Amino acid sequence: MASVPNVCGGGWAETKAAYRLLDNARLDFREVLRAHSVPTLERIRQQSRVLCLQDTTELDYSGRPSMAGLGRLNYEQRQGLYLHPTLVISEAGVALGVTDCWHWARLPKGEPDLAESLRWVEGYERVAEMAALAPDTRLVYVADREGDLRALIDRAEQLGFAADYLIRVRHDRKLNDPLDGKLRAAVEAQPVLGTIAFDLPAGGNRPARQVTQTIRLARVELKTRSGPGPQVTVILAREEAPPEGQEAVEWCLITNEEITTLEQARARIEWYRKRWWIEVYFRILKSGCRIEALQLRTRERLERALVLYLIVAWRILMLMTLGREHPEWCCEVVFSVEEWQTAWAIHHRTPPPATPPDLGAIVRIVAGFGGWLGRKNDPPPGPKALWQGMTKLSAYVEAVTAIRAAEIKFPQRKRIRH
């Protein structure tokens, strides 16, 4: 998936057609994303609640002087774009689709530019608009500390909380009380409601371990210049006794919802922990689809390519999450007939069965093409094995289709006896 020529198996003719597609000014990347949003909305409507994850990642195209329309990243010598999508997942963690995406290039220092914080507020507005199209589903906007903006909190209240929000606290805001207290002190003054425990996966230099957190809750009113301010529930989840040498796991979250019980708080902590899926999604985009390796000459070409890769990366993530949550489902909810039959025939060296196998079986086969060994104690297939496996499967399907179209029949090899 490293470049346009690499993904165009039909040689120069197919590559040229792909470049024509990316050059087509009538192909609006927003329309492509909206087309993907239609089936995504249908999947959302089948859920009682979904989590709308938002975050920002940078796309580094430094060293590409021929690519027009880029902007500075953290300093002038680094050039690229910023990407801010909305990834929708179910409460169980199944990726349902991508419904919105901000992307922008910063102007040079000193030139007037849009406030980048707008992406968070507008992101909530798009989620609120989507909520009106799925009235039987409750949408929850989930963001990390960068999304802790008073403008977003106020906008959610103005829209009547069409969607709930769950945001990790960055600012220790003042409260509307006679002592001008602070948000953090208010929740720390509350008694411990109970404890929750979960397994924390390994990351970086941190080993996998079990985490036990105490839970405190406070319902507070944020300060305004005059009159009542917005009310939020503060959830403080703190690891009181981390292992020696390990940093304590602590999250302070705010939500518009009124939370009063340990079980309600536990659910919100689980939702916030699923925010990690958008980080996995970014990894698929960069390491799997290799969107930073694209060598396109204009920003317009790049925008059209990016939206296509957003959908490709979602499919990989959906395949991974759905295979974990619903391995018993029929494989044809994800794979075409040609895909699963080809995968089965290559893996088993036998004709595919008349009845489609379950999803888990085909996911494991495809992950095996990507290097997943499937040993007894191995974890479920991850994104890397699946994107590499899907790349190989695509080539296998293309080869089988060409052989069938050409009606090629290979002669049987004769065994040589010594």
Side-chain angles (χ1 to χ4, degrees), residues 227-271:
Q231 291 195 342
V232 299
T233 299
V234 190
I235 306 171
L236 179 61
R238 174 187 288 162
E239 186 181 25
E240 304 287 354
E244 185 177 351
Q246 294 291 313
E247 185 178 352
V249 178
E250 179 178 314
W251 299 312
C252 188
L253 311 174
I254 57 171
T255 176
N256 61 290
E257 295 184 278
E258 189 166 358
I259 305 300
T260 58
T261 69
L262 180 62
E263 284 308 308
Q264 289 173 330
R266 187 197 308 273
R268 273 69 191 172
I269 297 298
E270 286 301 311
W271 298 350

Side-chain angles (χ1 to χ4, degrees), residues 141 143 147-149 153 165-171 173 183 218 220 222 232-236 252-257 268:
Y141 174 99
D148 181 16
L149 301 168
I153 295 169
Y165 61 77
L166 181 68
I167 303 170
R168 189 172 179 184
V169 170
R170 182 182 184 183
H171 303 291
R173 304 182 185 279
L183 181 149
V220 299
L222 301 183
V232 299
T233 299
V234 190
I235 306 171
L236 179 61
C252 188
L253 311 174
I254 57 171
T255 176
N256 61 290
E257 295 184 278
R268 273 69 191 172

Side-chain angles (χ1 to χ4, degrees), residues 32-33 35-36 98 281 285 306-316:
V32 175
L33 192 56
H36 169 68
V98 183
Y281 180 67
L285 276 171
L306 286 178
V307 74
L308 297 175
Y309 278 115
L310 284 172
I311 298 169
V312 170
W314 159 75
R315 191 186 183 210
I316 298 296

Side-chain angles (χ1 to χ4, degrees), residues 11-42:
W12 172 239
E14 191 172 307
T15 301
K16 194 173 180 181
Y19 280 125
R20 282 201 206 100
L21 176 69
L22 299 178
D23 269 332
N24 187 350
R26 291 179 296 177
L27 179 64
D28 188 336
F29 70 89
R30 299 174 190 86
E31 291 299 325
V32 175
L33 192 56
R34 274 194 282 271
H36 169 68
S37 296
V38 173
T40 298
L41 182 60
E42 290 305 312

Side-chain angles (χ1 to χ4, degrees), residues 52-114:
C52 302
L53 313 180
Q54 291 202 356
D55 205 356
T56 304
T57 190
E58 63 177 29
L59 305 180
D60 189 351
Y61 296 104
S62 301
R64 315 278 175 80
S66 61
M67 189 181 291
L70 301 179
R72 61 185 173 86
L73 296 176
N74 56 342
Y75 54 89
E76 291 289 345
Q77 286 71 26
R78 295 186 67 236
Q79 295 285 299
L81 298 174
Y82 285 93
L83 196 69
H84 184 90
T86 300
L87 175 68
V88 183
I89 67 171
S90 69
E91 275 192 276
V94 175
L96 303 176
V98 183
T99 59
D100 184 35
C101 185
W102 252 62
H103 63 271
W104 72 98
R106 285 177 175 168
L107 296 178
K109 282 187 177 181
E111 294 189 23
D113 210 342
L114 286 173

